[in-house]
Amino acid sequence: MVVLAELVFSASDLAHMRFVVSPMWEVVTSFRLQNSASVHPVHRRWVEQVRPRVKAAGLDRDRLAELIPPSGYVPDFLNPAPSGPAPTPSVELAAILAAPVGRVRQDLDHLEHHRGRRGPRLRSLYAEPRARLVRVAEEIETYWELALAPYWARIRAVLDADVFYRARQVAEHGVGHLFNDLHASVSWSDNALRVVRRQRTLSRETAGTGLLLVPSAFAGPGPHTRVSLPEPPQLAYPARGVGALWEPRAIAGTNAIAAVLGRSRTLLLTELETPASTTEPAPWSRALVPAGGHWSPGICRASNPLCPSNRTSSTVSNPSASEGLRSRLSVAKTPTSGTRSRPCRAALRRREPVTSGGNQYAVAVAPCA
């Protein structure tokens, strides 16, 4: 049965509408996707890498697997309303641990209504929510480290780009255009947001004030809603650009980068653009540079992904650079007496001196900005 859910907006509701990038929404939607019998071709490469890790950790048969079934309802307490625009996983885990006991049991009752049964692990969670939620949080943390953390820079780039695009839509065309372009099942007319959903209705009487719009790399094929008074309702929708999320990308300026790092190390650096195994990208974020290594300004400008133009304090950054190259070489501010520090001319922070061919080098680790 197809139900038209209608959410009426007042001026106050529009004033409290905002975008949120939520790690927990990515945990829930990605866990469901990798645990599904059918996988969308877009995410097949990611699933082939992640699924064996999840099974090896036993997460496919533990509490998280019972809480997030392949289809249907997911307990609302797993997606607490974020207080900020981009909470960290630890902040959202803390909110899950602080979920009211009554809310946890109510959600588990609703889950049992949909699934028709409650396994032994969920029975223990129902009996002792405060104690058993700790184990749920541990499983979520393990899943995050295995399945999402190695790829988070790439995923986050897609989500941030979607928020930027949607915010510009609002600025240029208004809220109605934003909603009408969000998804085929979502529309806006007569001061109301309408969502074609199955099974459950949605109204302002059962939802809080405003609306949280949550782009997701793994949500689909349609949007997901979460309603839990007194929190604002949440609408998670498929983000733009997901189709190219796992595709290898051509990196501009590699010849200029190779002039500094060498062709082999440059090749390893560009490999950050593709999904990798469990421990990446850490092993690839090292490069050998001369111990007193200064960048040539010409090379620096030619290799834009590693030496972007925007500068903040002692670091340079470029929000439009590809996320794989966000693991770029950080630039330390070490001006000499009477000389003003310039981007790309400062010496890199030294680590582990190495001597090779009569030249001294230092291993420089380049964390993301």
Side-chain angles (χ1 to χ4, degrees):
M1 177 182 178
V2 177
V3 177
L4 179 64
E6 183 175 285
L7 194 62
V8 178
F9 276 72
S10 64
S12 177
D13 291 320
L14 288 174
H16 288 88
M17 187 181 76
R18 58 189 174 92
F19 288 94
V20 174
V21 173
S22 168
M24 270 310 303
W25 267 107
E26 299 309 280
V27 167
V28 169
T29 54
S30 68
F31 187 91
R32 164 169 284 177
L33 185 146
Q34 65 81 34
N35 206 30
S36 174
S38 60
V39 177
H40 194 283
V42 167
H43 296 292
R44 182 171 291 119
R45 189 174 187 177
W46 172 83
V47 170
E48 289 173 350
Q49 293 184 17
V50 167
R51 186 176 284 167
R53 306 175 201 167
V54 172
K55 289 185 177 180
L59 296 177
D60 61 324
R61 53 188 181 276
D62 216 329
R63 291 172 180 82
L64 201 56
E66 293 188 24
L67 286 170
I68 308 176
S71 62
Y73 173 76
V74 174
D76 291 332
F77 70 81
L78 290 179
N79 293 111
S83 58
T88 63
S90 60
V91 168
E92 294 203 300
L93 280 177
I96 291 174
L97 290 171
V101 170
R103 160 57 61 187
V104 175
R105 287 176 173 155
Q106 179 180 335
D107 289 351
L108 293 178
D109 285 337
H110 197 63
L111 180 62
E112 183 181 15
H113 171 75
H114 278 263
R115 299 192 66 185
R117 62 182 179 83
R118 183 183 296 160
R121 293 177 181 84
L122 294 192
R123 286 199 295 269
S124 67
L125 176 60
Y126 191 93
E128 301 178 284
R130 193 60 61 216
R132 302 301 180 181
L133 275 177
V134 174
R135 177 55 183 160
V136 173
E138 290 173 351
E139 290 184 24
I140 292 173
E141 188 174 17
T142 299
Y143 176 77
W144 173 268
E145 293 299 328
L146 294 177
L148 294 177
Y151 316 106
W152 185 241
R154 176 182 286 248
I155 295 169
R156 178 67 189 271
V158 170
L159 304 182
D160 286 345
D162 181 273
V163 171
F164 179 82
Y165 173 80
R166 306 293 180 186
R168 185 159 186 166
Q169 279 187 314
V170 174
E172 295 181 351
H173 306 290
V175 173
H177 183 86
L178 162 72
F179 284 133
N180 287 326
D181 186 60
L182 202 62
H183 190 268
S185 64
V186 177
S187 62
W188 172 268
S189 64
D190 299 328
N191 297 324
L193 176 67
R194 293 176 173 85
V195 184
V196 178
R197 304 177 65 238
R198 295 182 181 273
Q199 298 179 352
R200 289 195 298 168
T201 60
L202 176 65
S203 67
R204 187 57 72 181
E205 287 73 23
T206 59
T209 303
L211 178 67
L212 301 185
L213 292 169
V214 189
S216 173
F218 299 95
H224 304 272
T225 58
R226 188 264 194 190
V227 178
S228 180
L229 286 170
E231 297 176 348
Q234 300 181 47
L235 178 65
Y237 61 91
R240 298 174 74 252
V242 172
L245 179 59
W246 308 118
E247 291 181 0
R249 303 166 191 168
I251 308 300
T254 54
N255 289 336
I257 301 170
V260 177
L261 299 181
R263 202 159 290 278
S264 297
R265 297 186 186 96
T266 301
L267 179 61
L268 294 180
L269 188 60
T270 60
E271 286 298 313
L272 288 170
E273 283 297 294
T274 58
S277 60
T278 311
T279 56
E280 281 99 12
W284 306 111
S285 60
R286 299 188 178 194
L288 289 176
V289 298
H294 286 240
W295 291 93
S296 161
I299 293 175
C300 201
R301 286 190 293 268
S303 57
N304 181 58
L306 288 187
C307 192
S309 56
N310 298 337
R311 184 177 184 185
T312 304
S313 185
S314 60
T315 62
V316 288
S317 63
N318 186 355
S320 65
S322 59
E323 285 300 313
L325 288 179
R326 272 191 168 180
S327 295
R328 58 187 174 268
L329 298 177
S330 61
V331 180
K333 186 176 181 181
T334 54
T336 57
S337 177
T339 303
R340 183 179 178 183
S341 173
R342 296 167 57 188
C344 308
R345 291 296 300 263
L348 293 175
R349 191 176 289 110
R350 299 183 183 180
R351 301 189 190 278
E352 304 174 9
V354 176
T355 301
S356 176
N359 297 319
Q360 187 177 20
Y361 296 85
V363 175
V365 180
C368 296

